[in-house]
DNA sequence: CTGAAAGCGCTTACAG
DNA sequence: CTGAAAGCGCTTACAG
């Protein structure tokens, strides 16, 4: 045994008078080792705190690990999912040399069936791990159960499905991000101001997320506000409908600040622009291109963002750590809640 | 040659009718290869876009790369440097398996000579790369020149020394962070408010940095403000002196917001607390423990932070990419400028 | 239940 | 200027 440095399989074999093949067997919990031998070897492993050399292991076992990614396609409607895609690319570059390959499956945010179709393809593809955005909760549940049954680890990003035994959830804490929205609103409005919460969404599947943000926002203002908090639920995502609804609301009452619970805040910015309203403050989510324009023009004051790129990056790495390094991974990772303005968004790395 | 997969040295050797030793020679630009042979081999490398297997390379060459880190010691006065230290630890864990070892050298922020002493030790230690916080600009320049002469790559974090040929600078854009400070001040004060810029520093070495932030802050308000912008230069860092100075300033004029250009904003928070002043807004830098208390108590409104942990992490990785992977690294990386409040600092990963 | 041997894709002396 | 061989620390058949 070399002094100072770590021990290897050869050292363990020598110290226990067995071959390295046998050492390898107990290292991987493979059957076919006498209990006494196994105990001896395990004792040495423990005593010297043996850690396998991942480089050598990867090189020798030409095993390739296949990961499947199931996320929404980037669409004209929203470019949000470009960021996670970039994060996956970055992770891929780092883990490729360790024999990890990644297959991407995309679904249409407006088409539940496309999600289901892709889950079936993944199940057929014999994959070792899955990273998914469980957008359609019910279907994601079914899929998760199938994966659990086949002992395929999976991690959620962007939104969580509680109760499933995912390896990890990596994404926002919606309630806290709404709460922060409340604080930001408080910073830029008076105690007596009227705030309007706007949900813009036609899919009931993600509506729950918006409600969580609303809850957080309202919670911040509990016992703190003299002004009113209004709410508007817009169930269509075309500009004409949004315009109509906002026009009606603003005609009925004075509003000082609008809090849009998702990335569609740019519609509201456009509306304010067109209507020539400049005294309403605006806060929304996600640094997509159209929202950057809103920051630039000064229509949008704050964008709250939760590192979409990094969510996906870390999701892949979680799978890698579990599958290749056998390391434990955190069951729940809440991403930082980033505050972006006209003056710092340029440096943002998401 | 295996189809579909990448080629290796063996394939190149076969295709060019030489031994793998010769291929290895040209791969590493080692002398002793006939020009014709070299050309043939290079052509194949290019044609098939050969990429060496880093795992195999690291495993076979038991070469170890030694990195030296030169940063301020964590002191009672400021725990700021704990974060970079953590980042270095994280990077170390990732690159250790690739044969990188890291030696840390600490200097005293109040003792120029301690910096110089450590640079001498590093020079003697035969290191392959250096990561440093060039706090004492003049001495850092001397050191940088010595490193350049010995062809030892070095990267700066936290502050830059222009004109030296560092491999990379990874840190804040001071001017832009001051500019953002202006915008935040604008968000939480009236157009007619009076802002007070406070520098608290006794070392002239870092004073330049504070001035950059001041410049940015003032630039934001150019053509935008009706109120006055005052400035107070406190050249001592004990609380008594700070208290005295602030008392004098606030007696002389009304102030609505204070912008402290470094991490010592907690002193001002303490002063406002003790003086029972609750109508002055407060913005400062760096998420050290004492500033967290200030956020919690509500005395501090915003903390601006520039990922101190990540700066160091990326600094180490830049050296690793250069030295091990031979990849090019970006010459200048400005970190994101993060906005932290009472409601989001808990999720911050710096 | 166990071990000897080949091999992963490189690098490193050493010999010629 | 060039090549054969051993070895890095593991894993993988295969043989017994």
């Amino acid at each position: 045994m070399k002094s100072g440095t770590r021990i290897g399989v050869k050292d363990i074999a020598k110290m226990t008078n067995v071959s390295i093949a046998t050492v390898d067997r107990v290292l991987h919990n493979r059957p076919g080792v006498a209990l006494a031998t196994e105990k001896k070897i395990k004792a040495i492993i423990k005593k010297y705190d043996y850690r396998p050399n991942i480089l050598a292991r990867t090189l020798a076992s030409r095993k390739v690990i296949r990961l499947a990614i199931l996320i929404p396609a980037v669409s004209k409607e929203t470019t949000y999912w470009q960021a996670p895609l970039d994060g996956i690319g970055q992770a891929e570059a780092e883990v490729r040399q360790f024999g990890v390959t990644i297959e991407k499956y995309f679904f249409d945010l407006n088409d539940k069936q496309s999600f289901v179709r892709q889950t079936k393809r993944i199940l057929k593809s014999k994959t070792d791990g899955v990273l998914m955005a469980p957008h359609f909760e019910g279907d994601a549940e079914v899929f998760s159960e199938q994966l659990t049954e086949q002992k395929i680890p999976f991690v959620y990003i962007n939104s969580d499905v509680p109760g499933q035994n995912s390896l990890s959830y990596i994404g926002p804490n919606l309630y806290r991000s709404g709460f922060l929205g409340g604080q930001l609103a408080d910073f830029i409005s008076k105690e007596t101001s009227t705030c309007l919460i706007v949900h813009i969404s036609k899919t009931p599947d993600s509506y729950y997320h918006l409600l969580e943000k609303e809850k957080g926002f309202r919670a911040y203002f509990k016992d703190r506000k003299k002004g009113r908090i209004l709410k508007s639920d817009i169930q269509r995502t075309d500009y004409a409908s949004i315009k109509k609804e906002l026009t009606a609301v603003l005609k009925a009452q004075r509003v000082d600040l609008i809090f849009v619970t998702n990335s569609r805040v740019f519609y509201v910015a456009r509306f304010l622009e067109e209507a020539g309203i400049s005294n309403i403050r605006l806060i929304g989510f996600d640094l997509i291109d159209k929202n950057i324009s809103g920051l630039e023009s000064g229509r949008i004051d704050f964008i709250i963002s939760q590192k979409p790129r990094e969510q996906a990056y870390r999701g892949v790495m979680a799978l890698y750590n579990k599958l290749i390094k056998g390391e434990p991974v955190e069951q729940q990772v809440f991403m930082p809640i980033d505050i972006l303005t006209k003056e710092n968004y340029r440096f943002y790395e998401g």
Side-chain angles (χ1 to χ4, degrees), chain A:
Chain A
M1 200 205 121
K2 320 134 211 168
S3 79
T5 171
R6 307 208 64 91
I7 64 169
V9 281
K10 223 190 282 179
D11 303 300
I12 299 175
K14 216 167 289 169
M15 297 167 86
T16 51
N17 294 312
V18 297
S19 73
I20 56 172
T22 296
V23 173
D24 193 63
R25 284 184 188 97
V26 349
L27 243 26
H28 294 281
N29 293 310
R30 273 193 286 266
V33 180
L35 197 65
T37 316
E38 184 181 333
K39 277 191 177 165
K40 255 195 310 186
I41 293 174
K42 284 196 165 158
I44 295 290
I45 288 175
K46 185 151 191 194
K47 179 173 176 193
Y48 292 93
D49 186 28
Y50 166 76
R51 309 270 189 85
N53 181 321
I54 300 288
L55 303 195
R57 171 176 290 181
T58 307
L59 191 60
S61 90
R62 273 132 305 162
K63 194 190 299 171
V64 341
I65 297 277
R66 304 179 57 191
L67 261 32
I69 313 287
L70 178 58
I71 59 175
V74 178
S75 64
K76 286 144 295 169
E77 206 192 334
T78 172
T79 56
Y80 175 83
W81 287 94
Q82 183 58 51
L85 203 52
D86 292 344
I88 287 160
Q90 191 196 336
E92 193 173 14
E94 282 182 32
V95 299
R96 186 169 28 212
Q97 57 181 335
F98 289 96
V100 177
T101 68
I102 291 181
E103 275 136 64
K104 297 170 195 126
Y105 297 81
F106 300 104
F107 62 90
D108 181 340
L109 273 171
N110 295 314
D111 179 5
K112 218 183 174 77
Q113 279 317 306
S114 71
F115 181 87
V116 176
R117 271 197 305 279
Q118 295 294 46
T119 66
K120 287 187 180 142
R121 285 186 57 213
I122 294 175
L123 253 8
K124 263 192 228 131
S125 77
K126 205 53 216 142
T127 178
D128 300 296
V130 175
L131 174 73
M132 73 172 109
H135 186 75
F136 301 105
E137 203 168 318
D139 301 290
E141 253 169 40
V142 172
F143 184 41
S144 299
E145 277 156 17
Q146 292 165 321
L147 291 171
T148 301
E149 201 172 306
Q150 299 194 24
K151 299 199 188 315
I152 299 172
F154 56 94
V155 350
Y156 295 136
I157 59 169
N158 200 57
S159 65
D160 200 5
V161 181
Q164 295 299 319
N165 58 18
S166 61
L167 180 64
S168 184
Y169 163 65
I170 300 170
N173 182 323
L174 299 168
Y175 179 85
R176 297 307 313 178
S177 71
F179 203 91
L180 175 67
Q183 190 193 27
L184 294 177
D186 195 23
F187 274 135
I188 59 176
S189 65
K190 299 203 198 79
E191 206 181 356
T192 54
S193 297
T194 300
C195 293
L196 172 65
I197 299 170
V198 174
H199 300 311
I200 305 174
S201 167
K202 66 182 163 200
T203 56
D205 305 277
S206 59
Y207 191 66
Y208 161 80
H209 304 156
L210 309 187
L211 285 183
E212 273 298 298
K213 294 181 189 170
E214 175 180 342
K215 260 203 258 175
F217 188 85
R218 286 184 186 275
Y220 176 86
F221 281 116
K222 180 134 167 32
D223 306 327
R224 195 170 331 219
K225 194 159 185 60
K226 301 215 168 47
R228 296 166 62 201
I229 296 183
L230 311 171
K231 165 174 172 178
S232 172
D233 232 321
I234 307 179
Q235 316 223 8
R236 314 233 357 213
T237 59
D238 59 298
Y239 179 64
S241 305
I242 293 164
K243 178 177 178 174
K244 196 172 143 199
E245 173 73 15
L246 288 175
T247 305
V249 173
L250 296 187
K251 178 163 274 174
Q253 54 242 313
R254 183 186 57 103
V255 164
D256 301 291
L257 183 142
I258 299 180
F259 177 64
V260 184
T261 50
N262 62 15
S263 65
R264 299 187 211 272
V265 57
F266 63 86
Y267 280 129
V268 180
R270 177 174 162 195
F271 169 76
L272 294 178
E273 176 83 38
E274 289 185 14
I277 301 172
S278 64
N279 59 347
I280 294 185
R281 302 293 212 148
L282 192 50
I283 299 174
F285 285 81
D286 302 332
L287 195 68
I288 59 178
D289 287 346
K290 288 171 182 164
N291 289 341
I292 287 179
S293 305
L295 285 175
E296 273 299 342
S297 73
R299 290 284 162 193
I300 299 178
D301 294 287
F302 289 114
I303 286 293
I304 298 174
S305 170
Q306 303 229 78
K307 300 200 186 298
R309 192 190 54 75
E310 198 172 323
Q311 283 181 32
Y313 172 80
R314 288 168 69 152
V316 173
M317 294 317 263
L319 254 6
Y320 162 77
N321 283 333
K322 164 79 174 176
L323 259 14
I324 303 277
K325 308 220 277 180
E327 281 178 5
V329 323
E330 277 196 271
Q331 216 284 308
Q332 185 165 260
V333 179
F334 288 128
M335 298 307 287
I337 311 177
D338 295 315
I339 303 170
L340 273 11
T341 75
K342 181 179 179 182
E343 304 310 337
N344 76 340
Y345 83 82
R346 250 174 286 255
F347 298 92
Y348 191 56
E349 293 179 339

